[in-house]
Amino acid sequence: MIEVRDLQVRYGERTVARVPELDVREGECVAIVGESGSGKSTTLLSLLGLTEGAHVSGHVRVCGVDVLQAAPRRLREIRGARVALVMQSPQAALSPATRLGTLMRRALKLHGVGGGRIEQVMRDAMETVMLEHRILRRYPHEISGGQAQRFAIALAIALGAEVILADEPTSALDVTVQAEVVGVLRRLREERGLALLLVSHDLALVSTIADRVLVMKDGEVVEAGEAAVVLAEP
Ligand code: ADP
Ligand code: ADP
């Protein structure tokens, strides 16, 4: 689902991320860990061609699309539908005056889901993330951070996402709520075969969900391997 070779992202003269190799297959979870500023988010965003102003080279394939060569139209086809981006504070991205249900319905129409199927698709997606259906009547400011994060994931599922790119998806949440969001992500990959690329500085979180881990430092991958092995090291 994700295949990266010799990725290099530069801002001006400065190389901020260099990733020789990164693969995420169906049903797999790979985590990128490392200190703040090590190039994790840049790597994640470059997979969708979202590193504005950067010079990006190498080979990046996501859901069969050659991201660095693809026409903008082709990129828009995968962004938001087949590949979902889950950020730290999803509430900020939701339009404040729109009820969640309206927002989801609009997104589905925009992506060509037919009228008759919409309500069923929405019901399934909300069930999958364990949110009550009545939450759809609320406005973004009326839900909690954990609910907003699960709603963002529900939206991705409704749109048929095959890949989730998650950038610190739990760092703005309470510890108990973090576990709920991680539980949802884990089920998606086990039950639906989604591929998950997770950026986090939280090693405890990563150890509960990732199969493989890349450690970044100053823009370089300094270590990569099985999560249990990489995380066990002092
Ligand atoms: P992390 O996600 O590991 O915290 P980032 O990928 O956000 O790290 O940032 C890596 C480096 O790239 C940082 O030094 C940051 O200052 C730099 N950087 C990120 N975005 C830009 C940008 N738009 N222009 C210039 N430098 C940037
Ligand atoms: P979470 O544990 O998901 O972060 P909280 O502990 O913050 O949720 O909140 C618990 C309950 O309070 C939730 O069911 C949520 O519906 C409600 N709630 C939280 N924040 C708000 C808010 N700003 N407006 C209305 N209801 C809220």
Side-chain angles (χ1 to χ4, degrees):
M1 308 293 262
I2 299 177
E3 190 185 298
V4 172
R5 295 289 177 276
D6 302 315
L7 172 69
Q8 192 158 341
V9 186
R10 276 192 348 243
Y11 282 107
E13 292 295 295
R14 190 161 159 246
T15 299
V16 297
R18 235 161 50 86
V19 179
E21 187 176 355
L22 166 62
D23 291 298
V24 190
R25 282 173 282 271
E26 219 176 289
E28 229 180 12
C29 173
V30 175
I32 305 178
V33 304
E35 288 160 23
S36 177
S38 56
K40 306 184 299 293
S41 299
T42 300
T43 300
L44 189 92
L45 293 174
S46 70
L47 301 185
L48 282 176
L50 292 174
T51 43
E52 222 169 295
H55 180 268
V56 187
S57 63
H59 171 85
V60 176
R61 217 173 168 78
V62 179
C63 287
V65 175
D66 186 341
V67 171
L68 303 185
Q69 303 297 326
R73 215 183 112 255
R74 196 81 210 286
L75 272 182
R76 278 197 299 272
E77 282 170 19
I78 62 167
R79 268 186 217 148
R82 297 180 67 194
V83 183
L85 192 56
V86 173
M87 310 291 281
Q88 188 172 333
S89 307
Q91 249 145 338
L94 301 173
S95 137
T98 308
R99 290 181 202 269
L100 300 178
T102 308
L103 189 125
M104 192 182 275
R105 217 168 273 121
R106 262 188 216 150
L108 284 167
K109 280 184 189 151
L110 196 68
H111 283 94
V113 177
R117 279 183 51 226
I118 285 187
E119 295 308 316
Q120 187 58 45
V121 168
M122 287 173 59
R123 206 178 306 276
D124 288 347
M126 294 295 278
E127 254 171 48
T128 303
V129 300
M130 297 176 295
L131 278 181
E132 288 178 62
H133 194 257
R134 63 186 171 82
I135 297 275
L136 290 173
R137 288 201 297 270
R138 299 211 187 152
Y139 291 95
H141 68 273
E142 295 175 331
I143 60 171
S144 68
Q147 289 173 329
Q149 200 56 287
R150 281 183 286 154
F151 177 74
I153 297 168
L155 195 54
I157 295 164
L159 293 172
E162 298 157 37
V163 174
I164 291 186
L165 306 178
D167 193 348
E168 304 281 4
T170 61
S171 59
L173 307 175
D174 295 343
V175 175
T176 50
V177 186
Q178 285 180 5
E180 282 170 24
V181 172
V182 171
V184 166
L185 290 174
R186 191 186 291 131
R187 276 189 30 228
L188 287 181
R189 92 191 169 87
E190 283 165 8
E191 293 169 16
R192 300 199 177 210
L194 265 78
L196 182 59
L197 182 64
L198 172 72
V199 158
S200 180
H201 64 269
D202 182 348
L203 298 184
L205 158 75
V206 166
S207 69
T208 66
I209 187 167
D211 302 302
R212 284 178 293 117
V213 174
L214 259 66
V215 184
M216 291 191 76
K217 189 168 193 244
D218 299 330
E220 303 281 339
V221 175
V222 290
E223 214 181 331
E226 298 286 323
V229 176
V230 173
L231 298 173
E233 283 163 20

